Amino acid sequence: MYDCSVDEIAKYDVPAMLQLVQYHSGAKGKTIYIGHSLASSVAMMFASERPAFAKSLVSLFIFVGSAYKMTHMRSPYRMFFPLFYPALIVSRGHSRRLTRPTCMASPLIMMGCVAMVNMFIGPLTEIAPETLPVYFNQLPGGTSLKTLTFLRESTKGNFRKYDYGPGKNRFLYGSKTPPDYDISKITVPIFLIYARSDWATTKQ
């Protein structure tokens, strides 16, 4: 079972990936990082915590549908997420077993499942019919509860480190509450791309 938070992804995975690219390409400091949704979040975390290191590895960040503070989320899921979250905890490891037989039972039911997905990301999503079986065979993808917690916190306007509770927070961070990621410290140029029909990550 996954037990990592987005903090670990930002601290270890992102720089390791960029260093590997730099090692094989030889393009020191010229890598262009393109991140969609959560991939943009972890890049911002990494670059805000280690701005000089990020600058030495990346020349430009391109963020598509950036998941920052999702307080302007238009998706109905924002309203129901507090209800979904406990269900996700209870059903972890079993949700895909439910998704596969249900959504792949017939083409009609499959389209109904697509409509449910579109309630989260927006009404103009185009998924080719031939890819639907592949899509629902993989949905939902594996992740950690700590990552889901980050997404829940982002809908409340928080972009901060994982909240372990007052006791462990004091031990790890030196404060009762987890510190925010200060994106004003990012020195790498950022190019933002958004879609007007995106209900999850809006222009704001």
Side-chain angles (χ1 to χ4, degrees), residues 72-172:
H72 295 279
M73 185 179 186
R74 290 182 289 164
S75 168
Y77 284 111
R78 183 191 173 197
M79 183 186 304
F80 296 112
F81 199 90
L83 301 176
F84 290 157
Y85 185 73
L88 288 168
I89 294 176
V90 173
S91 65
R92 60 180 177 175
H94 304 286
S95 51
R96 190 179 294 178
R97 298 175 193 172
L98 177 65
T99 303
R100 284 175 179 171
T102 302
C103 291
M104 297 178 68
S106 71
L108 185 61
I109 295 177
M110 199 175 290
M111 294 309 297
C113 289
V114 170
M116 293 293 291
V117 172
N118 286 352
M119 286 180 64
F120 174 73
I121 55 182
L124 301 179
T125 304
E126 295 183 5
I127 303 176
E130 62 271 18
T131 64
L132 287 176
V134 178
Y135 186 77
F136 287 112
N137 194 49
Q138 300 295 326
L139 187 73
T143 189
S144 68
L145 292 176
K146 290 179 180 177
T147 299
L148 293 175
T149 300
F150 164 77
L151 295 174
R152 181 185 63 176
E153 288 295 307
S154 68
T155 63
K156 298 178 181 179
N158 296 320
F159 192 70
R160 61 185 184 181
K161 296 188 177 182
Y162 186 77
D163 188 351
Y164 289 94
K168 193 170 182 178
N169 284 345
R170 285 195 182 94
F171 176 76
L172 293 174

Side-chain angles (χ1 to χ4, degrees), residues 7-64:
D7 299 336
E8 281 78 39
I9 298 173
K11 184 176 181 179
Y12 301 111
D13 295 354
V14 173
M17 174 185 65
L18 291 170
Q19 285 178 297
L20 184 65
V21 170
Q22 182 172 280
Y23 174 79
H24 286 287
S25 67
K28 186 176 181 180
K30 296 181 180 179
T31 301
I32 296 176
Y33 179 107
I34 303 175
H36 171 250
S37 190
L38 190 61
S40 65
S41 303
V42 293
M44 284 189 281
M45 292 173 178
F46 162 62
S48 65
E49 290 286 285
R50 306 181 70 183
F53 189 28
K55 186 76 171 179
S56 71
L57 296 172
V58 183
S59 61
L60 175 67
F61 283 127
I62 299 177
F63 295 151
V64 184

